[in-house]
């Protein structure tokens, strides 16, 4: 009768040190994501000095994360159309673009929502990898918090997708408050188009579909006035016409 196999890999601080030295880019990604969260907290709760500085530092940390991720996914930079097409397909490129859009406008709290949620989700996953190098039973409190984040990963991704969608009309409204320029909504539309056609993250498309079904259900309700139904159906037709064509996977 064979005995059950157990994981006999070495654990401890020396293993953690070796992991940090041999996975430098992964560790750098983890660090920039933590920085994004810290600076976001510093913007909401001004404990790190000027909150506006924390806002822009959070966006810069997110841009650094995106650049490092692009380096992993596309290590060989080429100046041709094929490379540009591959570049625009990467989710990291989308959020590098996102950071650049809002880096030169006034602080908008909603902008940091998708950035910090992505940072939380991905840093939690890698934090578990680092804890595993110390031992399966180490830091159980941190493991519990990480498991809670991973358990809510689907809801977090849905929330991110909703923020991505809502930022487009919100950026139009922000023009009248002087926080964005006339160019910002067009850049947000381009960003949303990239997210809608993402190969690795279908949540933006899913949320758009669910929002459309919700509006159609509202218009179909007998209590909905006729003029409101017409407005809803025209709005659905208009927005559907703006949606980019998604290629078959």
């Amino acid at each position: 009768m064979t005995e059950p196999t157990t994981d006999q890999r070495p654990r401890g601080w020396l293993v953690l040190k070796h992991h940090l030295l041999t996975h430098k880019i992964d560790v750098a990604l983890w660090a920039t994501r933590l920085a994004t969260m810290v600076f976001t907290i510093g913007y909401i709760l001004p404990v790190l000095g000027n909150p506006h500085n924390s806002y822009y530092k959070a966006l810069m940390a997110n841009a650094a994360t995106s650049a490092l991720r692009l380096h992993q996914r596309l290590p060989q930079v080429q100046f041709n159309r094929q490379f540009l097409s591959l570049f625009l397909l990467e989710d990291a490129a989308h959020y590098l673009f996102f950071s650049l859009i809002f880096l030169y406008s006034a602080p908008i709290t909603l902008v940091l929502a998708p950035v910090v949620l992505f940072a939380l989700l991905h840093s939690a996953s890698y934090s578990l990898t680092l804890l595993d190098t110390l031992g399966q039973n180490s830091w159980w409190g941190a493991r519990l918090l990480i498991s809670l984040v991973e358990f809510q990963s689907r809801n977090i991704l849905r929330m991110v997708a909703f923020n991505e969608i809502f930022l487009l009309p919100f950026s139009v409204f922000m023009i009248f408050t002087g926080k964005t320029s006339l160019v910002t909504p067009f850049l947000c539309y381009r960003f949303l188009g990239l997210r809608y056609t993402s190969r690795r993250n279908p949540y933006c498309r899913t949320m758009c579909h669910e929002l459309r079904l919700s509006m159609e259900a509202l218009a179909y309700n007998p209590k909905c006035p006729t003029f409101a139904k017409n407005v809803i159906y025209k709005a659905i037709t208009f927005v559907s016409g703006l949606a980019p064509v998604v290629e078959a996977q």
Side-chain angles (χ1 to χ4, degrees), residues 49-83:
N50 190 330
H52 287 189
N53 289 340
S54 295
Y55 173 87
Y56 293 114
K57 287 178 181 178
L59 286 179
M60 287 188 285
N62 179 67
T65 301
S66 300
L68 285 169
R69 187 67 181 133
L70 283 169
H71 176 69
Q72 280 187 323
R73 298 278 299 173
L74 301 171
Q76 299 296 328
V77 178
Q78 301 176 16
F79 296 96
N80 54 47
R81 183 176 298 179
Q82 182 180 5
F83 178 83

Side-chain angles (χ1 to χ4, degrees), residues 45-203:
L45 303 173
V47 293
L48 301 175
N50 190 330
H52 287 189
N53 289 340
S54 295
Y55 173 87
Y56 293 114
K57 287 178 181 178
L59 286 179
M60 287 188 285
N62 179 67
T65 301
S66 300
L68 285 169
R69 187 67 181 133
L70 283 169
H71 176 69
Q72 280 187 323
R73 298 278 299 173
L74 301 171
Q76 299 296 328
V77 178
Q78 301 176 16
F79 296 96
N80 54 47
R81 183 176 298 179
Q82 182 180 5
F83 178 83
L84 179 61
S85 299
L86 293 174
F87 179 86
L88 293 176
L89 289 175
E90 293 294 330
D91 290 355
H94 305 167
Y95 268 89
L96 178 60
F97 182 44
F98 179 86
S99 296
L100 295 176
I101 292 173
F102 294 102
L103 196 58
Y104 300 99
S105 61
I108 302 173
T109 304
L110 190 64
V111 168
L112 294 182
V115 167
V116 74
L117 288 173
F118 266 133
L120 174 64
L121 188 61
H122 293 298
S123 63
S125 178
Y126 194 70
S127 295
L128 187 60
T129 300
L130 295 179
L131 289 176
D132 284 342
T133 64
L134 295 176
Q136 294 292 338
N137 298 321
S138 62
W139 294 66
W140 63 268
R143 289 178 182 275
L144 177 61
L145 294 175
I146 292 170
S147 65
L148 290 175
V149 171
E150 293 186 336
F151 180 73
Q152 294 295 328
S153 60
R154 185 172 180 272
N155 290 330
I156 291 174
L157 290 171
R158 285 170 59 85
M159 193 182 304
V160 168
F162 181 79
N163 272 275
E164 291 169 349
I165 296 167
F166 186 70
L167 268 174
L168 177 55
F170 189 74
S171 66
V172 176
F173 175 75
M174 286 292 100
I175 293 176
F176 301 100
T177 66
K179 288 195 171 184
T180 59
S181 66
L182 291 173
V183 179
T184 304
F186 295 99
L187 297 176
C188 286
Y189 168 69
R190 181 56 181 157
F191 166 76
L192 184 58
L194 293 171
R195 300 304 297 145
Y196 187 85
T197 56
S198 173
R199 297 180 301 175
R200 305 181 68 193
N201 188 336
Y203 283 91

Side-chain angles (χ1 to χ4, degrees), residues 213-228:
L213 291 178
S214 298
M215 296 304 296
E216 288 177 344
L218 178 63
Y220 189 73
N221 192 316
K223 295 181 180 180
C224 184
T226 303
F227 79 91

